[in-house]
Amino acid sequence: MTVRPETKAIPKRATVVVVGGGINGISVFRDLALQGVDVVLLEQGDFCSGASAALSRMVHGGLRYLENGEFRLVRQSLQERDFLLRNAAHYVFPLPTLVPIFDVVQGSFSSLKRFIGLGNGPSRRSAVMIKIGLMLYDWLSRKSRSMPGHKFVSGRKLRAMAPSITPDAKFGAIYYDAWVKYPERLGVEMILDTQESCPHASAHSYVSVEKVDGADLHWRDRLTGETGVITPDLVVNATGAWVDFTNLALAGGQENDTPRFVRGTKGSHLMIRNKQLASALGDQMVYYENADGRICIAFNYLGVSLVGSTDILIDDPELARCEATEKDYMLDALRFVFPDIKVGEDEIVHVFTGVRPLPVSDADATGRISRDHSHREQEANDTRNFPVISLIGGKWTTFRVFGEEIADVVLERLGRKRRCRTTDLCIGGGRDFPSLGKDRQNWIDTALAELTVDRAVFERLVERYGSRAIEIAQFCQSASDAPLDAAQTYSQREIEFLIRTENVRSLSDILLRRTAIGLEGGISPNLIEEIGDLMSRILGWTGAELDRHKSLLIDEMGKKHSIV
């Protein structure tokens, strides 16, 4: 029987402290640990609970970034996309993408102006510019690409592929990117892998950095109230949209010593359960322009349809919510490309919002702000005895290479050499996991020969956890098990395994990130009670602690996901 590993205490001393447990902070943590650095990760919430949980579920090169001339970013993103298709084959899959095209030439001049920096706002893109963009896209990924190149289709074929699409679309283009099934789980698996292979590394959730006092960082556990001090040689600030707020704390509250590095933009998404929309999308993503020229997306994801997103400047990430005007904008954009599909308010089963940590910019339009990543280095000063390296920007797709670049900066400062790279390092359930097809079925057959669980149950575990499904199935069959009353596709033992082994500390960890129950619109009062009772038994919560966790979950659902 798997037992819950003892939670490591936060050490008093560490060579590097990474503040921020989103996907980029986790990547830095993993890379440094693999180089033999004793590194501690501190995250003020759950791992991958901020912007890293609010991406469009795409792993892509950023086709539209070509208009800004960000060729390095697109090339790097495409390469990282292809690495993830191999290293996380259990969660990252090819995504055929359909682009409806409305004009042959009109809009080309506006696109050219944006490319040379003379245009700001979005505008409609012509077939000519889309063709040029897709040719560049294919060329930039030529060395690592494992998927077909793009092609154009006639209006007739476009409507055969998507019968509900607007008749105003003259023809279409098809190209391939990728999508990620469980981005939050991928981040957690990276932490689990790292802590298993690197005993000198530890990661801690719900721990905030309160202040700095010379050589010491003062921290507080936000769930238990416990406080302590850790002394680092160097700090990596990977708090995303909170970078400037964190730097203020690291400067002892001295605003004059904290230059502004980040300007966030809010991106909201809708999860919609509408049969007509699901049928119209099929197995492809539709990548379309709204009437104002801004890019939107829609594709089927885990039984619902994901529609997004917005791009709105915001100063305080704590205030990020999906406003009614954003919902209206996304639904209007959807009607623009699918005019006959009507989506009711009650069909929006989940909403999520994140803040992109973009660099400070004087660009007039958010679309002109670079999506590339960078860093800033601040030396020790009279208040703080250690340097701070702050991460700026960064797409989810490029987390691996961003982490590698920051690790190299840290290693140089420490006078150490790199031991290994993560280019071909499989993640979690992607290890020893065959690609789709006959190989995977053979793998399942072989695994089932040693298991007693039903084939349907095991296949569902495989879909959720990749090769880790074997360990989870062994745990499930080692004692009496039964489906959850309020979520029949999950079992009690499956949830218990996640609680015991995946750094779960709150109800929202399970319902919103370790599982897809929230995204699928499956959270109910009965389920909250059922999961709460299970967690209380395993984690030893008192009745008062359980009530507090229920309140925290309901508050998060209301504020971040528009669910009451």
Side-chain angles (χ1 to χ4, degrees), residues 370-444:
S370 174
R371 263 54 176 179
D372 207 346
H373 55 257
S374 60
H375 73 279
R376 301 289 186 276
E377 300 178 42
Q378 295 172 285
E379 302 304 328
N381 55 34
D382 293 339
T383 304
R384 186 187 66 237
N385 292 6
F386 48 81
V388 175
I389 299 173
S390 298
L391 277 61
I392 314 298
K395 294 164 72 267
W396 194 94
T397 304
T398 56
F399 72 78
R400 189 208 65 82
V401 70
F402 195 9
E404 182 177 82
E405 290 171 4
I406 298 302
D408 283 340
V409 172
V410 173
L411 291 171
E412 183 176 0
R413 278 181 168 269
L414 298 177
R416 301 194 190 186
K417 293 185 177 181
R418 174 171 287 279
R419 294 180 178 180
C420 63
R421 296 200 177 273
T422 55
T423 308
D424 299 311
L425 183 62
C426 289
I427 300 169
R431 192 175 298 109
D432 302 321
F433 192 60
S435 58
L436 290 169
K438 187 176 180 180
D439 288 344
R440 183 166 300 180
Q441 286 305 310
N442 290 339
W443 181 88
I444 290 173

Side-chain angles (χ1 to χ4, degrees), residues 368-529:
R368 293 295 297 172
I369 303 174
S370 174
R371 263 54 176 179
D372 207 346
H373 55 257
S374 60
H375 73 279
R376 301 289 186 276
E377 300 178 42
Q378 295 172 285
E379 302 304 328
N381 55 34
D382 293 339
T383 304
R384 186 187 66 237
N385 292 6
F386 48 81
V388 175
I389 299 173
S390 298
L391 277 61
I392 314 298
K395 294 164 72 267
W396 194 94
T397 304
T398 56
F399 72 78
R400 189 208 65 82
V401 70
F402 195 9
E404 182 177 82
E405 290 171 4
I406 298 302
D408 283 340
V409 172
V410 173
L411 291 171
E412 183 176 0
R413 278 181 168 269
L414 298 177
R416 301 194 190 186
K417 293 185 177 181
R418 174 171 287 279
R419 294 180 178 180
C420 63
R421 296 200 177 273
T422 55
T423 308
D424 299 311
L425 183 62
C426 289
I427 300 169
R431 192 175 298 109
D432 302 321
F433 192 60
S435 58
L436 290 169
K438 187 176 180 180
D439 288 344
R440 183 166 300 180
Q441 286 305 310
N442 290 339
W443 181 88
I444 290 173
D445 292 340
T446 300
L448 280 169
E450 304 295 326
L451 298 169
T452 60
V453 297
D454 292 341
R455 186 181 190 92
V457 170
F458 184 65
E459 288 181 340
R460 190 161 58 232
L461 293 176
V462 169
E463 289 177 2
R464 290 175 182 159
Y465 310 108
S467 60
R468 293 183 71 224
I470 295 175
E471 182 184 4
I472 297 172
Q474 289 170 339
F475 182 83
C476 290
Q477 70 185 28
S478 66
S480 177
D481 196 10
L484 295 176
D485 291 334
Q488 291 279 307
T489 65
Y490 288 86
S491 81
Q492 295 172 7
R493 294 280 291 174
E494 178 184 352
I495 297 299
E496 181 176 347
F497 180 91
L498 301 181
I499 295 169
R500 289 186 180 278
T501 64
E502 293 195 350
N503 299 90
V504 171
R505 299 193 64 197
S506 76
L507 282 168
S508 62
D509 295 354
I510 282 290
L511 293 172
L512 296 174
R513 287 173 291 277
R514 302 301 185 278
T515 72
I517 294 172
L519 282 169
E520 296 166 346
I523 298 178
S524 66
N526 289 341
L527 181 62
I528 293 173
E529 289 293 331

Side-chain angles (χ1 to χ4, degrees), residues 536 541-551:
S536 295
W541 288 348
T542 64
E545 287 174 322
L546 175 57
D547 288 342
R548 181 185 175 215
H549 280 283
K550 288 178 182 177
S551 296

Side-chain angles (χ1 to χ4, degrees), residues 316-384:
D316 186 349
E318 293 290 343
L319 302 178
R321 310 283 185 273
C322 180
E323 306 294 345
T325 52
E326 293 179 81
K327 286 186 181 180
D328 291 342
Y329 177 88
M330 287 183 278
L331 293 177
D332 285 345
L334 191 64
R335 280 190 292 270
F336 178 72
V337 74
F338 293 118
D340 296 328
I341 296 178
K342 294 178 174 58
V343 175
E345 180 69 27
D346 61 334
E347 293 176 311
I348 301 173
V349 298
H350 190 76
V351 173
F352 61 93
T353 301
V355 179
R356 308 173 185 94
L358 305 184
V360 169
S361 169
D362 57 4
D364 295 332
T366 55
R368 293 295 297 172
I369 303 174
S370 174
R371 263 54 176 179
D372 207 346
H373 55 257
S374 60
H375 73 279
R376 301 289 186 276
E377 300 178 42
Q378 295 172 285
E379 302 304 328
N381 55 34
D382 293 339
T383 304
R384 186 187 66 237

Side-chain angles (χ1 to χ4, degrees), residues 16-42 47 80 83-84 86-88 90 185-204 236 238 391 396-408 410-411 418-431:
V16 178
V17 170
V18 178
V19 183
I23 197 68
N24 288 320
I26 292 171
S27 181
V28 175
F29 168 75
R30 177 180 72 153
D31 203 306
L32 285 173
L34 290 170
Q35 313 315 318
V37 177
D38 60 303
V39 55
V40 173
L41 176 66
L42 304 179
F47 303 120
E80 293 300 313
F83 289 157
L84 277 168
R86 296 195 296 270
N87 295 334
H90 60 319
R185 288 199 52 77
L186 200 66
V188 169
E189 287 188 352
M190 288 167 63
I191 290 174
L192 297 177
D193 288 350
T194 302
Q195 293 190 137
E196 182 178 352
S197 62
C198 306
H200 51 276
S202 63
H204 308 269
V236 174
L391 277 61
W396 194 94
T397 304
T398 56
F399 72 78
R400 189 208 65 82
V401 70
F402 195 9
E404 182 177 82
E405 290 171 4
I406 298 302
D408 283 340
V410 173
L411 291 171
R418 174 171 287 279
R419 294 180 178 180
C420 63
R421 296 200 177 273
T422 55
T423 308
D424 299 311
L425 183 62
C426 289
I427 300 169
R431 192 175 298 109

Side-chain angles (χ1 to χ4, degrees), residues 60-112:
H60 66 113
L63 178 61
R64 72 179 183 86
Y65 306 148
L66 292 172
E67 280 187 325
N68 292 349
E70 296 190 89
F71 295 107
R72 186 194 84 97
L73 171 62
V74 175
R75 181 174 57 250
Q76 197 174 63
S77 299
L78 289 168
Q79 179 175 278
E80 293 300 313
R81 176 201 69 186
D82 293 335
F83 289 157
L84 277 168
L85 284 164
R86 296 195 296 270
N87 295 334
H90 60 319
Y91 287 158
V92 181
F93 310 95
L95 179 63
T97 302
L98 181 62
V99 184
I101 301 172
F102 299 87
D103 300 292
V104 178
V105 177
Q106 187 176 348
S108 300
F109 183 63
S110 297
S111 295
L112 286 171

